[in-house]
Amino acid sequence: MARVLIINLASLPMPGNEPIFPIGARCVEDALRFAGHFVRLMDFVESPQALDDFSWLNDAYDIIAFAIRNIDPIDLSCDGHVLEYARFSERVHAALDPKQTGGSRPLLVAGGPGFSLFAKSLVDLLGVDLGISGPAETVMLEVAADPGAFLGSGSILQGRRYDGFVERVLTHPPALMRAYANTRNAMIGVETMRRTCFQKCIYCPYAHITGNNSGDYKPLVLMAAEIDAIHGAGFRRIFFTDSIFNSQRAAKDIARLLGGSDFPDLTWSAYFSPKPFDDAFAGLLAKSGLETVVISPDSLDAGMMRNLGKNFDLASVEKFLKRCRAHGLTPMVNIVFGGPGETRETVRNTARFINENLRAGELSMHVGYRILPQTALAALTGLTEPDLLAPTFYPIEEQIVQWLIQDLDSRFLTPSVMVNLLAGRAAARRMRKIPATALRGETTDGFSHVALSREPA
Ligand code: B12
């Protein structure tokens, strides 16, 4: 039996970070526990006092694992979290000084979705022995069987399928659920499937993060038991964490389950695609406690949607909105201005569609595409993982915010949207421009630079 400590770095107090229930780390903890290992999950929302007093690190552990969910809030005006992680890791290293622990030290491991994107850089930066990219349960079980074998390896192992996902109920510890059930807008994630994302959006790294996972679907009875415990712990909001909820073959059954009488007052949300989205599905959703039907066309200009690699078109967005209206569902449409090929004209077209088709509160709008490794956008700009660790964005036209203010109806320009837009514009002006000639790639759109990158704070 190994003794394992998992530290949820996403629960550190950091500017721009609003911790959410750590379901990824919980999956790993649960798998290890079930196999008979001793595991402690250190979470600073549950145990804020542990930030000052590091005595919990003095217990004897064979493995200490860092859970890294986010790298940055993918927002032009926000700093990254990586330096905070590095500082925290330094504190852990100092506390584990082998001179004080009689020469031996635990194996240091890192994993999580944010980690998977920057595995190579983070293994070095955090000084860990081993990184696990993608779904980590199976590999962690192998590592826990013989931690010493990985000491000092500096390697990165690729996560694999885990049988337990379809075989056992995932039950979270009540104390951890209570700690998060008390947070503002408390919401907990639930996975319905483990399947790579087959969409080809040029900015999105989901397929890389979820790994080569061709399709496990959580049986409905396991999901019902998981949700029952979540509901019992006081959560009234869940988010299905699947890349696209309605690409799940049991999406209708899940909507039916949620619409039943088992979970009073429970509301939920998820990422949807405008297709498949038929009338029968919309009808079930309308009775299921669904808050908003989130879709991400990212632009509402036909050419831009093609540039961004969307696998649906404007007509399917229109049809989707019509169905939402017919069934009383509230759509939430994600738009990110400033992708490759964005011009005065494409901004105008997107704004026109928004003005004609959306109501106040149905638009979620951002400016600037965060370039992430393992994406077509990274390939297009020629930027590689180490280039991208600091928040890095596809170059945007300076006037884009002005165009939005001119084009969008005032119902979408609420005070908080205006603050965000102006903060983004101010941040973009201060960012380092990465000159096109310094890199392998060539830019489209005639920009003289390939990206905007935020200097570490
Ligand atoms: C669903 C989701 C959300 C939901 C979360 C709902 C909820 N309550 O849980 C919502 C919409 C709220 C959300 C918000 C945000 N998200 Co989000 N989200 C996702 C998504 C699609 C799935 C994450 C998930 O829960 N998966 C299911 C769990 C079980 O899987 P997992 O966490 O990956 O865990 C597995 C492995 O990673 C590994 N693992 C996990 N932890 C650990 C720990 C150790 C020690 C080890 C060894 C392994 C390990 O094993 C686990 C089990 O197999 C991912 C993209 C993706 N496809 O992964 C983005 C993603 C994680 N989000 C991301 C971001 C940036 C955000 C936001 C900051 C966006 C924003 N500006 O608002 C916020 C921040 C939220 C927060 N406060 O932390 C980024 C993070 C990378 C980055 N750029 O920093 C991702 C990768 C998407 C992207 N754009 O690249 N998100």
Side-chain angles (χ1 to χ4, degrees), residues 295-411:
I295 59 160
S296 302
D298 305 319
S299 169
L300 293 160
D301 170 86
M304 276 303 292
M305 288 173 79
R306 277 193 299 277
N307 290 356
L308 293 166
K310 304 314 292 186
N311 69 346
F312 54 87
D313 57 13
L314 272 181
S316 32
V317 177
E318 275 165 355
K319 214 182 273 170
F320 161 84
L321 289 173
K322 223 184 232 165
R323 281 223 159 101
C324 285
R325 304 283 177 233
H327 290 273
L329 291 164
T330 306
M332 175 61 71
V333 180
N334 285 332
I335 300 294
V336 185
F337 290 95
E342 191 86 275
T343 61
R344 180 73 193 92
E345 194 49 33
T346 61
V347 169
R348 192 176 283 127
N349 290 341
T350 297
R352 188 182 308 120
F353 189 103
I354 292 169
N355 293 339
E356 287 171 5
N357 293 284
L358 298 186
R359 299 176 185 160
E362 293 180 349
L363 172 68
S364 164
M365 172 175 51
H366 293 270
V367 172
Y369 279 80
R370 168 63 160 113
I371 307 173
L372 288 166
Q374 309 287 344
T375 61
L377 198 54
L380 179 72
T381 53
L383 294 166
T384 58
E385 190 230 281
D387 306 321
L388 297 170
L389 194 56
T392 303
F393 292 81
Y394 193 78
I396 50 168
E397 294 285 359
E398 290 252 329
Q399 312 91 307
I400 206 164
V401 168
Q402 227 164 299
W403 297 341
L404 291 174
I405 295 170
Q406 280 166 14
D407 294 350
L408 282 171
D409 280 357
S410 57
R411 66 178 182 279

Side-chain angles (χ1 to χ4, degrees), residues 6-7 10 17-21 23-28 65-75 109-114 116-118 132 134-137 140 187-191 194 205-207 209-210 239-243 271 366 370 372:
I6 300 177
I7 308 177
N17 183 39
E18 284 189 34
I20 48 173
F21 189 89
I23 59 159
R26 277 290 307 120
C27 288
V28 176
F66 295 135
I68 300 186
R69 183 191 193 277
N70 302 329
I71 292 299
D72 51 53
I74 53 172
D75 186 314
V109 178
S116 303
L117 288 173
F118 291 95
I132 304 176
E137 294 95 331
M140 267 304 264
M187 177 175 69
I188 191 165
V190 174
E191 278 180 290
R194 290 231 170 140
Y206 285 15
I209 295 171
T210 48
F239 193 99
F240 290 107
T241 60
D242 317 308
S243 308
Y271 294 128
H366 293 270
R370 168 63 160 113
L372 288 166

Side-chain angles (χ1 to χ4, degrees), residues 71-88:
I71 292 299
D72 51 53
I74 53 172
D75 186 314
L76 270 171
S77 60
C78 292
D79 292 326
H81 302 320
V82 169
L83 286 181
E84 306 269 0
Y85 299 153
R87 273 185 215 123
F88 186 86

